[in-house]
Each structure stands twice: as structure tokens, then as C-alpha cells.
Amino acid sequence: MSDRDDFGAFLIGFIVGGLTGAITALLFAPQSGDETRVMIRDKAIELKEQTSETVAETLSKAETAAKDAVNRAEVLLEDAKKKASEIAEKGQVMLEESKKRVTKAAPPAKKAAPPKKEA
């Protein structure tokens, strides 16, 4: 989001700078009105082309950054799935081992326990 704000500030500065330059050129122009209008038109076309190029470059960079972010997110998701699977497997193994220990310990515990008195 910060990149969009930086680009907006850059674009506004670029346009304001271009307009300031055009106004300054008009004020100090030694040529006639027709020549000045032709110069303004040419400068406007040039400014438009530069702005289009800048926007295209920025959009290209933004698309590349978005694709990179998606790829990184996919890699992180796969890693998280693998780790979750590993943890689930380890938990299942521990559960099975605990069941075996309880099963082995249960028969001797029943023999060792005194019989219950019926009331």
C-alpha cells in the first residue's frame, strides 16, 4: 500500500513540475503566440508520453511484486501443511505408544488392586 502512496506522490510531483516548467517557459518565451502554442502542444505530448511510460513501468513492477508475494505465500502454505502433517504423525505415534504402555500396565494393576467390598 505504501508503494501506491509513493507512486501517487511521485506522479503528482511529476505533473506539478511539468506544469511549472511549462508556465515558466510561457512567461519567458521570446517567440510568437503560434510558436508558443506549438511548443506547449509538443511539451504536453512529451509529458503525456513520459507519464504513460512511468505508469506502465510502475504497473509492471507492481504485478511482479504481487506475483512474488503469491509465490511466497504458496511456499509458506506448503511448509505449514508439511509441518502440521509431521506434528500430527508424531502425535499419533505418541498416542499409540501411550496406549500400549497403558495396556501393558493395566493387567498388573488389576491384579495388585485389592478386591472391592460389596456393601
Side-chain angles (χ1 to χ4, degrees), residues 8-25:
F10 170 77
L11 187 59
I12 290 171
F14 187 76
I15 291 170
V16 169
L19 291 174
T20 303
I23 291 170
T24 303

Side-chain angles (χ1 to χ4, degrees), residues 45-87:
I45 291 170
E46 182 182 330
L47 182 63
K48 179 183 173 188
E49 289 172 358
Q50 289 175 348
T51 303
S52 296
E53 289 174 10
T54 303
V55 168
E57 289 174 7
T58 302
L59 288 175
S60 175
K61 288 179 183 179
E63 287 175 357
T64 302
K67 287 178 185 177
D68 288 345
V70 168
N71 290 338
R72 288 182 193 152
E74 289 173 350
V75 168
L76 290 174
L77 180 62
E78 285 300 316
D79 288 346
K81 285 180 180 179
K82 287 179 185 177
K83 288 181 182 181
S85 177
E86 290 172 4
I87 290 171

Side-chain angles (χ1 to χ4, degrees), residues 15-16 26-28 30 34 52 62 69 71 93 95-96 105 107 113 116 119:
I15 291 170
V16 169
L26 284 174
L27 293 175
F28 294 105
D34 288 337
S52 296
N71 290 338
V93 168
L95 178 65
E96 294 299 323
K116 292 184 178 180

